[in-house]
Amino acid sequence: MDDARLHENIEQLVAREEQLRELESRPETFSTAEREELEQLRIRLDRLWDMLRQRRAKREAGLDPDDARARPAATVEDYLQ
């Protein structure tokens, strides 16, 4: 996946995250399914950002950014921000 496509996916997921965060602000109507979707979305975003960082690092090191691979959620979730 190239950088432009990664950015496009990130933008779409961020838009959905904003919708869910607004719903979350009204806990009486925020469903368990929406809560789970928000958590899965957060993980997906972390993985996409990680891949984008990998691509940039490879490019800066003179390597092929297309060699970047999505890492498992358990890996990227343990990173410190």
Side-chain angles (χ1 to χ4, degrees):
M1 185 179 307
D2 65 13
D3 291 1
R5 180 112 187 233
L6 283 167
H7 280 289
E8 182 181 312
N9 285 342
I10 288 168
E11 288 174 15
Q12 290 172 354
L13 293 175
V14 166
R16 179 61 180 151
E17 180 184 36
E18 289 172 0
Q19 292 172 341
L20 290 169
R21 293 273 181 216
E22 185 171 324
L23 292 173
E24 185 181 37
S25 70
R26 294 174 295 219
E28 65 280 355
T29 60
F30 194 62
S31 72
T32 302
E34 290 165 331
R35 186 175 319 286
E36 186 173 310
E37 180 185 357
L38 183 58
E39 177 62 18
Q40 292 304 311
L41 193 145
R42 185 185 62 77
I43 292 168
R44 179 73 178 132
L45 278 168
D46 286 348
R47 294 180 76 204
L48 288 171
W49 280 115
D50 176 66
M51 187 184 294
L52 189 60
R53 286 189 289 273
Q54 283 183 63
R55 290 181 57 79
R56 287 180 180 162
K58 286 184 180 296
R59 190 177 296 111
E60 289 173 8
L63 302 172
D64 185 354
D66 290 335
D67 288 341
R69 297 290 175 252
R71 296 183 227 218
T75 300
V76 300
E77 291 302 294
D78 290 336
Y79 291 159
L80 297 176
Q81 299 287 326

